[in-house]
Amino acid sequence: MRRLLRPPSPLFLLLSLSALALTACGGSSVADAGGGRTDGRGPVTLNVGDQKGGSEAVLRAAGELKDLPYKIKWSTFTSGPPLLESVNAGAVDIGGVGNTPPVFAAAARSKVKVVAATHGSAAADAILVRAD
């Protein structure tokens, strides 16, 4: 049986970022991750770390980043571990990563907190082994 995996709806992603903006950003960030794009307007800026083709791309394609009452400054990372290092250093406020990077961050005694989780199907995952 073949299943199609659907990404979360753009509205769900926007609402998640909005809720996190209210809880994760009490003021300005300690550092600027540099080089990102900024959406929205207002006195509050949420510095979001993203991976190439991640939340920013989905939200932008859906038109959900227009007329936001707060600013989102995007910084793009190659993978989850450097994104979490940036969160730990205070350069970004929040970012989405896969399953493994938070485990390694916790093992390194990072101050990163997991604030949300999603459950997906393992239908796209596989373990390949040699026949012998």
Side-chain angles (χ1 to χ4, degrees), residues 82-92 105 108-113:
L83 192 158
L84 289 184
E85 287 178 27
S86 188
V87 170
N88 190 49
V92 297
R109 305 229 189 279
S110 173
K111 301 291 188 230
V112 172
K113 294 181 181 177

Side-chain angles (χ1 to χ4, degrees), residues 1-6 120-124:
M1 173 183 229
R2 188 172 190 178
R3 290 180 165 180
L4 295 176
L5 298 177
R6 290 186 175 176
S121 168

Side-chain angles (χ1 to χ4, degrees), residues 28-45:
S28 62
S29 286
V30 174
D32 180 359
R37 291 130 327 271
T38 303
D39 291 294
R41 58 184 166 19
V44 174
T45 300

Side-chain angles (χ1 to χ4, degrees), residues 9-10 18 40 43 79 83 116 120 123 126:
S9 74
S18 298
S79 61
L83 192 158

Side-chain angles (χ1 to χ4, degrees), residues 10 15 31 33 35 45 50 54 72-73 80 95 98 102-103 107 123 128-129 132:
L15 292 175
T45 300
D50 195 24
I72 296 179
K73 178 154 180 17
V103 174
L128 303 177
V129 296
D132 62 349

Side-chain angles (χ1 to χ4, degrees), residues 10-11 19 27 35 40 42 48 53 57 71 83 94 97 104 106 108 113 120-121 124:
L11 183 57
V48 178
K71 294 177 189 166
L83 192 158
I94 195 164
V97 298
F104 285 102
K113 294 181 181 177
S121 168

